[in-house]
């Protein structure tokens, strides 16, 4: 799910959140240090937006959401 970065707020206990970058190190992939789940990412391909893992959003039942197929092969 993409959300505007001005609407995005992360609540983290202690230092549980870490950041991973690879390649050109332009995108930032954030994850939980304890369980390893990817929480959100920030990419220069989507300026002003945060890519959020809805499984990490309190009150969201991801199994109740209507879904579609993401074709990453033809992304560009």
């Amino acid at each position: 799910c993409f959300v505007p970065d001005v609407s995005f707020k992360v609540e983290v206990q202690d230092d549980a959140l870490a950041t991973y970058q690879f390649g050109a190190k332009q995108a930032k992939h954030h994850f939980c240090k304890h369980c390893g789940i990817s929480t959100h990412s920030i990419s220069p391909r989507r300026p002003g937006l945060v890519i959020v893992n809805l499984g990490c959003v309190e009150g969201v039942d991801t199994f109740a959401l209507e879904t579609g197929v993401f074709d990453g092969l033809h992304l560009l």
Side-chain angles (χ1 to χ4, degrees), residues 7-76:
S7 301
F8 184 71
K9 178 184 174 190
V10 179
E11 292 182 15
V12 180
Q13 294 179 352
D14 304 317
D15 64 342
L17 197 63
T19 303
Y20 176 72
Q21 292 182 285
F22 58 92
K25 298 189 178 193
Q26 293 181 1
K28 295 180 180 179
H29 306 279
H30 302 280
F31 64 95
C32 175
K33 288 182 186 179
H34 304 290
C35 70
I37 192 167
S38 172
T39 57
H40 65 288
S41 298
I42 300 170
S43 171
R45 289 185 181 205
R46 302 283 186 165
L49 296 175
V50 178
I51 306 160
V52 178
N53 178 348
L54 291 179
C56 296
V57 178
E58 189 174 328
V60 175
D61 179 2
T62 56
F63 294 104
L65 298 174
E66 190 173 318
T67 61
V69 175
F70 175 77
D71 182 4
L73 177 63
H74 299 99
L75 181 63
L76 299 176

